[in-house]
Amino acid sequence: QATLKKWQDRQNQVLKPILEDVDKAIAKVAKAQGFSVVMSRQVAAQSGLVVYADEDTDLTQAVIQELKR
């Protein structure tokens, strides 16, 4: 269990700056395209809160391009 905890702590330490960069890119793209809310497609589908979403609202490719800059 101690080894697992060490692994999780190290993983979180490595992923934190990456996830922060992704969050910043999502916010930048969303604001530029006039979105006030961005949801994970997977979470939205699993929660049942979103019944339909137009494919044109998918920001994935724009966020990927922003991250490449």
Side-chain angles (χ1 to χ4, degrees), residues 36-51:
S36 56
V37 174
V38 176
M39 300 178 83
S40 162
R41 183 176 296 274
Q42 181 182 10
V43 172
Q46 289 175 347
S47 69
L49 294 173
V50 176
V51 178

Side-chain angles (χ1 to χ4, degrees), residues 2-69:
T3 303
L4 177 60
K5 173 79 168 107
K6 285 181 184 178
W7 170 252
Q8 289 172 334
D9 289 346
R10 178 68 179 136
Q11 188 176 25
N12 289 339
Q13 180 183 8
V14 170
L15 287 176
K16 185 179 179 183
I18 296 168
L19 294 175
E20 288 173 351
D21 287 347
V22 170
D23 287 347
K24 288 176 188 173
I26 291 169
K28 184 175 181 179
V29 169
K31 286 177 186 176
Q33 294 192 19
F35 287 89
S36 56
V37 174
V38 176
M39 300 178 83
S40 162
R41 183 176 296 274
Q42 181 182 10
V43 172
Q46 289 175 347
S47 69
L49 294 173
V50 176
V51 178
Y52 169 80
D54 190 318
E55 290 295 322
D56 290 341
T57 62
D58 188 338
L59 301 178
T60 304
Q61 292 305 314
V63 170
I64 291 170
Q65 290 305 312
E66 179 62 32
L67 287 167
K68 289 181 177 180
R69 293 180 189 188

